[in-house]
Amino acid sequence: MEKPVPRPNADSAPFWEGCAAHEFRFQRCNSCGKPQFYSRAVCAHCQATDLSWEVAAGEGTVHSVTTVHRGPSVAFKEDSPYQVALVDMDEGFRFMANVRGGEAEIGTPVRVIYEKRGDQTIPQVEIRG
Amino acid sequence: MKKAVVTGSYSTKVGELEGATCMSLHTEAGLGALADAGLAVSEVDGLLCAYSFTEPHLMLASVFAEYVGMKPAYASAVSMGGVTACMLVMQAAALVEAGYCRHVLVVTGDNRLSGMRGNAVQALAEVGNQQYEQPYGMTIPAAYALVAQRYMSEFGVTSEQLAAIAVTMREHAVLNPKAHMKTPFTVDDVMNSRFIATPLHLLDCCLISDGGAAVVVSAADAAADLKKPRIDILGTGQGHTHEYIVAAPSLTDYGCKRSAADALGRAGLKPSDIDVVEIYDSFTITLLAELESMGFFERGEAGAAAAAGDLKIGGKLPCNTHGGLLSYGHSGAAGGMFHVVEAVEQLRGEADGRQVEGAELALVHGDGGILSAHCSVVLGRA
């Protein structure tokens, strides 16, 4: 069994198209000004539907991280152990990624990198010095 | 007199149950609870079910009603993960209080151990967000591990303190002949068990079991001549903050704060009034975070309290007196219902060998998702 490949929909297609171009896109509400991740048809802060896409600089900090020893499927078991992190991006939103290039802990500074996954490109993070 | 009361309760054996099916477990649990209440199937006018992994269906309540030969006036199935059992009790109470039903059967069960051939972990991982979590190999234990790491970082909780929670649950299970796992273990045993997702070891994680459980919720005026002590539903509440852990507003504060405040407030009670708590313990960190978020302990104190024995039967706040999901068993939605059934048994004084002396007030709590959806139920012996 292969690792899951994200299946974009109308809400998320611009994000995944951005990843393919190595561009981390996120939404900002034109009404309340807050950023949000993941992309959707409405601002989850104020319920406005007028949202703009912006591009993140690609740097953030690890909010929490775990080293997974038992993956969900054979595809991940071959990678075990691997790190799953929640990353707070400098623009003020959070996303999940695997950590590449070393072992992260809470507070570790990271930058976004991109990996091919099936017919998609997914964002990951690596530790920055 | 409160308007909604628990009149019957029953749980099947738990563990690896040869020959059990989802529907046979529902049937044994449902008919068992009705017998406990002294009610016939024909007297039940409300039926509430949860969900199943082994016999998944869009309309599980209709499937069960047909299977057992029940024609209720009201039927519904709710699929909200581990919080479902408490939510069903809340919904049943609302139905009888609103006058739509007299006796509501609330029934759960699944043969999640024998019926899934070891695939339960993978199936559960698929509740993660398909685009933003599943590609990273996030499992349910990994999501709770992210909570644990943050909790340890912010409040100084230690792995030994989490292990003490697991040890307490096992000590309670040892007292309970029905429990799935009854071999005693120590804090060192937990610490030396293999990592599933750091900092959670194997023994920080709940079981996967076959089993079923049910309760009957009745209108108080329909429950006058009971065989058993009447158990009042004194207050209920819910709290919801997110579904996916990637979108949780906080990794240390959850909807259980609101659900417990609402349930206790509606009951006119405060946390210190409660004699025994049965709180969802899918992982050791789940229980710790909920105990603190709900106000039973100050921030950063539940771990030390567990290590000091405060959660034991005879301790300051006896918790999960049946052994919890960690050691009694976890059968999907029935896992949460085991907590409800245990609270009823404690309040009736039926918890042989593990009875909390003088227990008159209990709080039961369920959590679905990754501490996403919460429901608290306050029960009291009349």
Side-chain angles (χ1 to χ4, degrees):
Chain A
M1 186 178 149
E2 302 296 315
K3 292 175 184 170
V5 178
R7 295 190 297 270
N9 61 16
D11 286 344
S12 64
F15 172 74
W16 293 110
E17 286 161 10
C19 288
H22 290 201
E23 207 177 81
F24 198 110
R25 298 178 188 165
F26 68 100
Q27 288 177 316
R28 189 179 298 280
C29 176
N30 290 330
S31 178
C32 74
K34 289 182 179 164
Q36 74 178 4
F37 188 87
Y38 48 92
S39 58
R40 55 201 100 167
V42 62
C43 170
H45 301 286
C46 74
Q47 290 72 50
T49 54
D50 182 15
L51 299 155
S52 294
W53 286 94
E54 295 185 12
V55 177
E59 295 198 340
T61 306
V62 170
H63 181 74
S64 192
V65 60
T66 179
T67 301
V68 179
H69 289 256
R70 184 183 173 178
S73 63
V74 172
F76 285 104
K77 284 179 178 118
E78 288 165 2
D79 287 0
S80 298
Y82 57 92
Q83 284 197 311
V84 173
L86 290 171
V87 177
D88 285 339
M89 297 287 275
D90 291 350
E91 288 81 4
F93 62 88
R94 184 174 295 166
F95 84 112
M96 181 178 284
N98 299 125
V99 178
R100 305 304 190 202
E103 293 237 326
E105 52 191 54
I106 290 173
T108 297
V110 292
R111 77 168 61 83
V112 175
I113 58 171
Y114 296 91
E115 291 180 358
K116 286 294 287 180
R117 174 70 60 84
D119 61 350
Q120 296 292 324
T121 301
I122 65 170
Q124 299 280 24
V125 294
E126 66 177 10
I127 296 168
R128 63 189 153 97
Chain B
M1 182 188 269
K2 287 285 178 182
K3 285 193 261 178
V5 302
V6 178
T7 52
S9 75
Y10 184 91
S11 58
T12 70
K13 288 181 184 171
V14 295
E16 186 160 9
L17 305 179
E18 186 74 26
T21 67
C22 170
M23 280 299 123
S24 75
L25 291 165
H26 272 70
T27 300
E28 182 191 340
L31 297 183
L34 289 174
D36 187 57
L39 291 168
V41 168
S42 59
E43 293 175 272
V44 175
D45 52 8
L47 172 65
L48 297 178
C49 293
Y51 55 90
S52 168
F53 272 25
T54 61
E55 298 178 32
H57 196 281
L58 196 61
M59 299 167 62
L60 201 67
S62 296
V63 171
F64 173 66
E66 176 186 285
Y67 183 95
V68 77
M70 187 178 285
K71 295 180 176 63
Y74 182 101
S76 180
V78 173
S79 178
M80 290 290 279
V83 69
T84 307
C86 282
M87 283 186 174
L88 294 177
V89 172
M90 181 174 180
Q91 187 176 333
L95 285 167
V96 300
E97 286 173 0
Y100 288 107
C101 297
R102 302 282 281 168
H103 300 288
V104 180
L105 176 62
V106 181
V107 57
T108 58
D110 221 359
N111 53 332
R112 195 174 270 198
L113 177 58
S114 65
M116 298 189 74
R117 299 188 186 90
N119 288 331
V121 169
Q122 184 172 338
L124 286 164
E126 289 172 7
V127 306
N129 187 291
Q130 197 279 329
Q131 297 180 71
Y132 307 109
E133 294 181 338
Q134 288 184 30
Y136 302 105
M138 190 205 78
T139 59
I140 300 293
Y144 277 91
L146 290 166
V147 172
Q149 294 284 26
R150 191 71 205 179
Y151 223 98
M152 293 166 92
S153 165
E154 285 193 31
F155 299 112
V157 172
T158 67
S159 287
E160 288 82 358
Q161 290 173 345
L162 293 177
I165 288 175
V167 169
T168 299
M169 298 305 104
R170 184 57 56 97
E171 287 174 355
H172 292 168
V174 168
L175 302 172
N176 188 347
K178 285 177 79 171
H180 186 172
M181 292 291 178
K182 294 184 281 287
T183 307
F185 59 60
T186 65
V187 166
D188 282 346
D189 292 334
V190 180
M191 300 291 290
N192 292 329
S193 64
R194 63 189 168 88
F195 274 126
I196 300 297
T198 59
L200 301 178
H201 300 82
L202 176 66
L203 295 177
D204 285 295
C205 305
C206 66
L207 307 175
I208 296 171
S209 320
D210 301 332
V215 295
V216 181
V217 175
S218 302
D221 60 357
D225 52 349
L226 288 173
K227 299 181 294 185
K228 300 284 181 67
R230 203 183 82 220
I231 305 301
D232 291 339
I233 299 174
L234 298 173
T236 56
Q238 295 189 14
H240 305 266
T241 52
H242 64 280
E243 170 54 24
Y244 303 117
I245 194 67
V246 71
S250 163
L251 290 193
T252 53
D253 220 0
Y254 296 99
C256 47
K257 177 183 263 183
R258 178 178 186 175
S259 72
D262 281 357
L264 287 164
R266 287 164 183 159
L269 298 168
K270 54 188 185 301
S272 58
D273 294 324
I274 300 297
D275 300 312
V276 56
V277 292
E278 314 292 353
I279 297 176
Y280 207 77
D281 57 325
S282 49
F283 300 90
T284 50
I285 185 62
T286 318
L287 181 54
L288 184 141
E290 290 175 334
L291 282 167
E292 294 184 0
S293 212
M294 287 193 279
F296 287 105
F297 293 95
E298 296 296 318
R299 285 289 181 197
E301 291 187 0
D310 288 354
L311 304 181
K312 294 182 183 184
I313 296 163
K316 289 177 189 164
L317 185 70
C319 178
N320 297 351
T321 45
H322 59 316
L325 303 170
L326 286 161
S327 280
Y328 179 83
H330 193 351
S331 312
M337 193 62 83
F338 297 145
H339 289 77
V340 179
V341 169
E342 175 67 8
V344 170
E345 291 186 8
Q346 286 287 342
L347 295 174
R348 286 174 170 178
E350 293 176 339
D352 292 340
R354 61 183 195 285
Q355 181 65 45
V356 174
E357 290 307 316
E360 292 184 355
L361 293 166
L363 182 139
V364 190
H365 183 82
D367 137 44
I370 313 301
L371 291 155
S372 316
H374 296 263
C375 184
S376 307
V377 176
V378 179
L379 300 175
R381 180 173 178 152

